[in-house]
Amino acid sequence: MKNKKVLFEDWGLTDYKQAWDRQEEIFGATVKLKTELRNRSLAGDETDETILTPNYLIFCEHPHVYTLGKSGKPDHLLLDEQGLKEKQAVYYPINRGGDITYHGPGQIVSYPILDLDNFFTDIHLYLRTLEEAVILTMADYGLKGERYPGYTGVWLDADNNRARKICAMGVRCSRWVTMHGLAFNINTDLDYFKNIVPCGIDDKAVTSMQAELGHEVDINELKQILKHHISVLFGMEIIG
């Protein structure tokens, strides 16, 4: 039995560490439940088939923060401790995939904590589906989002030397349960990207919806559009 219901939560502007700890709590509880159900099944014990693993789709924004994924290089952060203080930013090495990235106000961060056994067990398809949701959202604003061969995330002008990234992605997956997710630049202060080698790519620019459209975007409206595309592409039943 598969559970297509997904609890949606908008955490608003939330401290990164608090959001990370909350993610870990939900993620850990879901993995534990899956393990217990599987162990009961393998032992031949009767299991209550009404017990289903939950799914969450979380949106939020963070105060200025730089995060380094497992495959990243610490020297891709171009600020020392004093520089971080001057920028009112913090820095965390974390357990997602990918290199270094920036989160800050005006950027939608989405944390899908999904049991992919409820949808499809293919991490590459999972990433491509998240990318597609961003691409469709951009299209609703008249922008052409694209994939850049060899990299995750969403770009503009991916086929030429004007390539610039608008959405970064990095995920963790255990027993087909996901955490972390995507960071979509909406009204983001792009100057903060000058303090890192974004996602380890030193020869490409970073952009935002505001920079591309020439005006500030209603971030709450865009959240609704993005949520809609994610739900349709995954076949979710959004709760909340």
Side-chain angles (χ1 to χ4, degrees), residues 66-194:
Y66 296 103
T67 69
L68 182 73
K70 293 183 295 184
S71 59
K73 297 179 180 179
D75 59 5
H76 287 167
L77 175 65
L78 308 179
L79 294 173
D80 58 15
E81 189 172 338
Q82 181 59 35
L84 286 168
K85 287 181 180 178
E86 291 173 359
K87 291 290 183 180
Q88 297 183 317
V90 294
Y91 165 72
Y92 293 108
I94 61 172
N95 58 4
R96 61 163 169 78
D99 204 288
I100 196 164
T101 194
Y102 160 77
H103 301 307
Q107 179 192 74
I108 294 176
V109 180
S110 177
Y111 296 128
I113 306 177
L114 308 177
D115 180 358
L116 291 183
D117 271 318
N118 290 323
F119 302 96
F120 47 76
T121 50
D122 183 330
I123 197 64
H124 295 289
L125 178 58
Y126 173 67
L127 289 167
R128 302 295 82 77
T129 305
L130 289 178
E131 289 169 349
E132 188 65 19
V134 173
I135 289 169
L136 290 173
T137 300
M138 292 173 63
D140 287 337
Y141 287 83
L143 296 175
K144 185 181 179 183
E146 299 175 302
R147 295 177 179 86
Y148 194 102
Y151 297 98
T152 57
V154 179
W155 304 68
L156 290 96
D157 291 319
D159 61 348
N160 61 58
N161 60 10
R162 296 186 62 245
R164 53 209 183 277
K165 193 170 193 176
I166 196 166
C167 179
M169 294 184 182
V171 302
R172 176 187 174 195
C173 185
S174 178
R175 293 189 179 272
W176 294 113
V177 179
T178 66
M179 65 176 289
H180 301 299
L182 64 85
F184 187 3
N185 297 329
I186 312 303
N187 302 316
T188 317
D189 184 347
L190 299 177
D191 282 346
Y192 275 83
F193 286 98
K194 297 176 181 178

Side-chain angles (χ1 to χ4, degrees), residues 18-87:
Q18 290 180 358
W20 185 10
D21 289 345
R22 178 62 179 139
Q23 271 194 90
E24 287 279 15
E25 181 183 334
I26 298 169
F27 174 83
T30 305
V31 171
K32 182 181 179 183
L33 176 60
K34 283 196 75 173
T35 302
E36 290 174 350
L37 292 174
R38 176 174 171 76
N39 288 343
R40 286 184 211 167
S41 177
L42 290 174
D45 296 339
E46 289 188 14
T47 58
D48 185 347
E49 292 189 0
T50 65
I51 299 175
L52 302 173
T53 48
N55 305 289
Y56 295 82
L57 178 62
I58 297 157
F59 283 2
C60 64
E61 297 176 56
H62 294 306
H64 304 298
V65 60
Y66 296 103
T67 69
L68 182 73
K70 293 183 295 184
S71 59
K73 297 179 180 179
D75 59 5
H76 287 167
L77 175 65
L78 308 179
L79 294 173
D80 58 15
E81 189 172 338
Q82 181 59 35
L84 286 168
K85 287 181 180 178
E86 291 173 359
K87 291 290 183 180

Side-chain angles (χ1 to χ4, degrees), residues 208-222:
S208 67
M209 294 290 287
Q210 182 179 23
E212 297 298 323
L213 294 171
H215 60 81
E216 189 169 310
V217 175
D218 183 334
I219 197 166
N220 290 319
E221 176 188 77
L222 193 144

